[in-house]
């Protein structure tokens, strides 16, 4: 009689992998808000009303190298600036203040486990045999679905166009599972400017609700 035990255990292993993977994806899809650590500095002049202030984006030489990426960062910051009261100037020459924005990210592994280990980032599936009173087939499964971590940071600096004096500086930092997600930039900029222009404790934790269309889909890995 043919022993179908090995095949049966292979089906069990495949099912376990699918269930575990679905659990990870469902956890990502349940994201309804973005929480960041925000640090802000500077004293915005009390007599200067953001609603009467126009701005233009200013790019550093290094940001001009990858113009499409920088355009995406500026587009993500624009809604937060509008919420704070600023209006985009028709031309940079007509702007009252200049705004510099930046995004940076880094990928790293959890400090509690080896970066990849001998079996890759998602664990291992192993087969073995045990002996004692006759040989038989056995199955062992070691599974780790812990993805790498990423840290995203967005930076925003506002300076007076005439005097070049820095009026406000703010940063938002977020850590998450998986790689960086471009959709996180807009809520992170919103967090960075949430308390503007009032002084606030730095660092502080700020949560911004996600738009329904962003909350429904899992973040890109």
């Amino acid at each position: 009689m043919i022993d179908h035990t090995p095949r049966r255990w292979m089906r069990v292993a495949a099912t376990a992998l699918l269930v575990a993977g679905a659990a990870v994806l469902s956890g990502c899809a349940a994201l309804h808000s973005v929480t960041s650590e925000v640090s802000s500095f500077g004293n915005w002049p009390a007599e200067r009303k953001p609603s009467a202030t126009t701005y233009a984006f200013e790019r550093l030489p290094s940001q001009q190298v990858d113009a499409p990426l920088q355009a995406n960062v500026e587009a993500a910051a624009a809604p937060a600036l509008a919420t704070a009261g600023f209006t985009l100037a028709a031309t940079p020459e007509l702007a009252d203040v200049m705004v510099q924005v930046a995004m940076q990210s880094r990928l790293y592994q959890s400090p509690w486990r080896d970066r990849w280990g001998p079996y890759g980032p998602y664990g291992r599936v192993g087969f073995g045999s045990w002996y004692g009173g006759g040989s038989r087939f056995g199955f062992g499964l070691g599974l780790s679905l812990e993805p790498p971590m990423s840290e995203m940071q967005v930076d925003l600096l506002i300076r007076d166009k005439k005097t070049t004096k820095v009026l406000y500086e703010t940063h938002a930092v977020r850590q998450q599972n998986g790689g960086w997600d471009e959709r996180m930039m807009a809520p992170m900029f919103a967090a960075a400017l949430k308390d503007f222009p009032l002084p606030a404790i730095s660092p502080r934790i700020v949560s911004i609700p996600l738009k329904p269309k962003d909350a429904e889909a899992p973040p890109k890995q």
Side-chain angles (χ1 to χ4, degrees):
M1 182 177 66
I2 299 176
D3 185 2
H4 293 285
T5 301
R7 294 181 180 179
R8 179 170 62 85
W9 278 108
M10 290 179 69
R11 290 195 299 270
V12 172
T15 302
L17 287 170
L18 291 174
V19 171
V24 172
L25 292 177
S26 64
C28 294
L31 184 65
H32 294 288
S33 64
V34 174
T35 300
S36 307
E37 182 181 274
V38 177
S39 299
S40 304
F41 310 92
N43 294 312
W44 182 264
E47 71 280 2
R48 195 162 194 172
K49 304 301 181 183
S51 58
T53 304
T54 59
Y55 77 93
F57 286 114
E58 182 178 39
R59 297 183 182 181
L60 298 172
S62 60
Q63 295 173 330
Q64 297 174 15
V65 174
D66 193 343
L69 173 60
Q70 187 60 23
N72 289 342
V73 178
E74 292 169 359
L81 287 163
T83 300
F86 293 98
T87 301
L88 181 64
T91 65
E93 291 73 22
L94 298 176
D96 300 312
V97 297
M98 303 302 291
V99 177
Q100 292 180 3
V101 293
M103 185 282 298
Q104 52 187 315
S105 65
R106 68 186 184 95
L107 193 67
Y108 61 94
Q109 201 68 24
S110 168
W112 305 111
R113 60 192 290 263
D114 182 58
R115 179 172 177 79
W116 295 116
Y119 303 101
Y122 300 112
R124 59 189 176 91
V125 175
F127 297 87
S129 298
W130 289 266
Y131 299 93
S135 65
R136 56 178 180 170
F137 182 87
F139 174 82
L141 173 65
L143 177 64
S144 174
L145 289 177
E146 179 185 356
M149 297 287 293
S150 64
E151 180 177 270
M152 289 183 61
Q153 177 173 324
V154 297
D155 311 289
L156 188 148
L157 183 144
I158 306 173
R159 64 181 181 86
D160 184 83
K161 184 184 176 186
K162 292 182 179 179
T163 66
T164 71
K165 178 183 178 181
V166 174
L167 302 176
Y168 199 76
E169 174 190 359
T170 184
H171 312 268
V173 180
R174 169 180 167 79
Q175 294 180 339
Q176 64 183 31
N177 289 331
W180 78 285
D181 188 345
E182 185 174 323
R183 294 174 304 165
M184 299 296 103
M185 289 194 295
M188 289 178 68
F189 276 117
L193 283 174
K194 186 175 185 298
D195 299 303
F196 179 86
L198 300 176
I201 298 174
S202 295
R204 60 192 179 279
I205 302 300
V206 179
S207 293
I208 301 295
L210 277 178
K211 295 180 180 180
K213 64 181 180 64
D214 289 334
E216 292 172 1
K220 294 179 293 183
Q221 301 298 323

